Amino acid sequence: MAPLTELYRKPRALRRRLGVSLALVSLVGTLTFAGLSYQASRNTTLSNIDDILCAAAEGVREIVPPMIAQEAEAPARTQPTYDDTYRATQIALERYFAATKLNFLYAIAVRDDGSAYELVSNLSPEQKAQKIDPLKDLLLKTYDPSPGMVGAARSGTRTIDVDQDDYGYFRSCLVRVRLAVAGTDKSVSAIFGADMEISDVNARLYRDLFTNLGIGALVLVVTLIIIRAISNAVARDVRFVVGETEAVSRLNFTGAEGRRHSAILEVDQLFGALSDMKGGLTAFSKYVPASVIRNVLAAGKAEIGGEARELSLLMTDVSDFTTISERLPAERVMQVMSAYFDTVVAPILAGGGVLDKYVGDAIFAYWNAPLRQEKHAALACTAALKSRTASRALAEKWKAEGQFPWHTRFGLHAGETVFGNVGAPDRMDFTVIGSAVNLASRIEGLNKVYGTEILASARLVELAGEEFVFRSVDRVLPKGAVFPFEIFELMGMKGEIPAEAAARWEAAMGLFRARDWGGAEAAFAAYGAAHGDDGLSAFYLVRCRAMAANPPPADWDGVQRFETK
């Protein structure tokens, strides 16, 4: 995770490293491609040049009649006829030379002893300037043949030669024809040749080289553009993966995109694995509190064990749930219950609470574990008030639709507990245990007795602070409890409940505790009349009358003891 995070924090460094690496690979590849391409092009160009030279040499062969070579050394040449044929051949050769645009076209004869003499050749610019007569000045002129010419005269019918003579440095194609010498039993090798200066050959090769370099440069530029796009895309994909991974590590699935795709197979597979992981953890977080998963991910393992800490606990229950469920089909109960839980639990989770479990229609949640929360009691009170508001709205909606309304009761308590993993090594449950959990459940159940909605213990009221308005309810000793304690009803946030109303209630409770049953009854009646349907006022009206009719003993401690849950 750390290397990915480092890349995520330095996206430019990632793009730079990736871009440089790909660019170096591309440069080496481009240079290699250019070198191989030039070599192939060079071979092709030389082959084309040789084809041109050999075609020209064959053209010379067709122009020069055999008699030019056959009678050159003949003891008795038919001079006029030979001369006329030679001059006609020279003119045809000059015309053909002008069409080929080569450097030289010629025919020579090579004797068996390696000596050679010239038969016919196009005139160089210098020879033309000197007005040389080929018949008189060139024909039968001794010629110093190159090794290539000698080799051509002795073997093969076509030879490529590179040689330097008095006229320059040439690449040549030599075509050999063996001819008998007229009037003798001798024969001579006639060599028909075409020359191109090496400078012209090199010019063509350089042109091909520059063409290939230009193509290579263009390929390199295009490749670099593609590399930049790829490196940006890869960096963007890596940033996405790191961001999603960090979000998953925080179990933050809000705003998550759907399955992302990439043109790079491995990256696309990584996206698929990430999407599957998110889907699995999202589903898993529906069953296990997110904070628990975070702890497991951070620790890298889950072990049996716990930690003692004071937590704020919340228990809820639905009034008359048994009666409601008996009137509805089981499938409908499941649907309605799901909608109810979604409504009531949302404020709890939004308020930082950990949903421990559902028990039938009941909800158990807590604060200050596994992560510490400084104002955990205040968070629990806020969540309880918001859940009550949501529950009331849902009940009104269902009532308007002709359905059974669900009314929620809440119990709040703060006390020492042990939270952690309990169970067997291969099957654990992260939960909270301790007597405080039982007391929270008992406090919630007392709502049925007092006609209240949200009851809280004195310890939770102490921790909650002055942001909330509570009213005294009673001093109780629930079944299973060892020591009696006071309970209060959470009425609302400070500022939402008139201070005068709270003061009137506490004054009425003061009269009750002072055993002024008549005064207390009047005070509770007045309070109930001023505040409408108030279950706690009604409870104390009945209780005041009972106390007046049957007063408690002198040592009465004001504790209400309960023998049932």
Side-chain angles (χ1 to χ4, degrees), residues 262-539:
S262 173
I264 303 173
L265 176 61
E266 290 75 8
V267 177
D268 189 67
Q269 291 174 339
L270 180 60
F271 285 160
L274 179 61
S275 178
D276 293 342
M277 179 180 70
K278 286 171 56 181
L281 287 176
T282 300
F284 189 54
S285 65
K286 303 295 184 182
Y287 299 93
V288 180
S291 56
V292 176
I293 300 178
R294 291 191 190 98
N295 277 8
V296 173
L297 291 176
K301 59 182 178 179
E303 296 178 337
I304 293 177
E307 177 183 344
R309 188 182 300 174
E310 184 176 37
L311 306 184
S312 290
L313 310 170
L314 170 66
M315 293 284 186
T316 74
D317 194 19
V318 176
S319 300
D320 301 322
F321 176 75
T322 302
T323 302
I324 294 173
S325 62
E326 289 177 350
R327 296 178 180 179
L328 296 173
E331 295 82 359
R332 180 57 182 163
V333 172
M334 184 68 72
Q335 295 172 356
V336 175
M337 184 179 292
S338 297
Y340 166 77
F341 282 146
D342 184 53
T343 301
V344 176
V345 169
I348 296 174
L349 298 179
V354 175
L355 178 63
D356 185 272
K357 61 177 64 71
Y358 299 107
V359 183
D361 59 305
I363 297 171
F364 173 36
Y366 54 86
W367 283 259
N368 203 34
L371 300 179
R372 291 186 179 275
Q373 296 165 304
E374 183 179 355
K375 297 183 177 182
H376 53 90
L379 292 173
C381 291
T382 301
L385 290 172
K386 291 183 177 180
S387 291
R388 181 182 68 178
T389 300
S391 176
R392 286 175 176 177
L394 182 64
E396 290 297 324
K397 176 178 177 294
W398 284 350
K399 185 177 180 181
E401 294 173 353
Q403 302 182 53
F404 295 106
W406 289 27
H407 299 286
T408 309
R409 298 186 296 255
F410 301 83
L412 292 168
H413 179 49
E416 287 293 325
T417 64
V418 175
F419 68 91
N421 296 315
V422 298
D426 60 346
R427 182 74 66 175
M428 300 183 223
D429 183 24
F430 189 94
T431 189
V432 177
I433 59 176
S435 60
V437 177
N438 295 330
L439 280 181
S441 177
R442 299 289 186 270
I443 291 170
E444 180 280 316
L446 294 179
N447 282 291
K448 293 183 287 185
V449 176
Y450 293 100
T452 51
E453 284 186 283
I454 307 177
L455 286 179
S457 67
R459 177 56 181 166
L460 186 125
V461 172
E462 178 186 350
L463 295 176
E466 299 181 355
E467 302 176 38
F468 308 92
V469 177
F470 296 90
R471 64 173 173 175
S472 301
V473 174
D474 208 348
R475 184 172 175 80
V476 298
L477 183 65
K479 181 178 176 59
V482 178
F483 303 104
F485 56 90
E486 286 195 59
I487 57 173
F488 298 82
E489 182 180 18
L490 175 59
M491 301 178 69
M493 301 292 295
K494 194 171 184 179
E496 298 177 351
I497 306 298
E500 179 270 336
R504 289 181 62 187
W505 177 263
E506 295 304 328
M509 287 298 296
L511 293 172
F512 178 82
R513 288 166 179 161
R515 300 192 179 203
D516 185 356
W517 314 122
E521 181 180 355
F524 286 128
Y527 187 93
H531 296 87
D533 185 16
D534 181 51
L536 190 55
S537 298
F539 170 82

Side-chain angles (χ1 to χ4, degrees), residues 73 109-117 142-145 150 154 188-189:
E73 287 189 315
V110 181
R111 299 185 183 95
D112 292 338
D113 61 4
S115 62
Y117 51 89
T142 301
Y143 189 88
D144 185 15
V150 176
R154 293 175 178 175
V188 66
S189 293

Side-chain angles (χ1 to χ4, degrees), residues 98-122:
T100 61
K101 297 181 180 180
L102 298 175
N103 297 105
F104 283 101
L105 299 177
Y106 51 86
I108 63 173
V110 181
R111 299 185 183 95
D112 292 338
D113 61 4
S115 62
Y117 51 89
E118 192 166 354
L119 296 176
V120 63
S121 168
N122 65 281

